[in-house]
Amino acid sequence: MGYLFLLPLSVTILVPTTFLITYGIAIAKSDVTPAFPYISDTGTDPPESCIFGQLLNISAVLIALSVYVRYRQTIEYHRNGPRLLLCLNKTTLALGLIAAFGVSLVANFQETSMLVVHMIGAMMAFGLGVIYEWIQLYMTHRMCHEMSSRYVFIIRAFLCIIATVCFVTSILFLPQNVYLRILLASSLKIVMTP
């Protein structure tokens, strides 16, 4: 029970390490340009796609376990607590598990072969992940005295703001070629369907 903090810590270390490893391999093989490629572009071609997929799948499991541990932790501290808190706790469990599944979709469906599924997984992972973070922030605020400190609340608030800005920015500035690729993929299926 004393080592449960290692779950979110391992995610915090493993995910960026995954991106750095696949970025390094993709640059070494000249699969992407060094100037800010999309993360998914660095995990498209073998062998980096294999590493990308495997490490993100492990990350998805660790994320799901972290979400579950946070859920159980909140229940233990607030078994007879406010109804709203318990309801939000169940909501974050569902959102967190779906976001973890989205990470697995991103890992297993490369954007070059299954763009629509890849983008759905990314929206699940990042979109629902941001919503999960904001609800957890609210819950942290409500539980400041019993379960966490004001310092944890401030750090979570800062991270929520950064995550939200990054998510919104990525949506607003999604390159036109992704929209065109989705449109092209959809129209080809419509044309090819008898």
Side-chain angles (χ1 to χ4, degrees), residues 130 133-134 136-138 140 149-167:
V130 166
E133 290 174 24
W134 280 105
Q136 282 293 328
L137 177 66
Y138 174 76
T140 300
S149 69
R150 191 89 175 136
Y151 179 70
V152 171
F153 175 77
I154 291 168
I155 290 173
R156 283 193 178 150
F158 178 72
L159 293 174
C160 282
I161 292 167
I162 290 174
T164 302
V165 167
C166 289
F167 179 69

Side-chain angles (χ1 to χ4, degrees), residues 97-152:
L97 293 177
I98 295 169
F101 180 66
V103 171
S104 182
L105 287 178
V106 168
N108 294 305
F109 295 92
Q110 283 82 25
E111 67 173 352
T112 53
S113 58
M114 298 289 292
L115 180 64
V116 174
V117 177
H118 183 84
M119 295 303 287
I120 289 170
M123 289 301 136
M124 289 167 63
F126 297 116
L128 295 179
V130 166
I131 295 169
Y132 173 87
E133 290 174 24
W134 280 105
I135 296 173
Q136 282 293 328
L137 177 66
Y138 174 76
M139 290 171 60
T140 300
H141 176 69
R142 293 285 306 261
M143 300 182 295
C144 262
H145 303 295
E146 301 92 15
M147 206 166 125
S148 58
S149 69
R150 191 89 175 136
Y151 179 70
V152 171

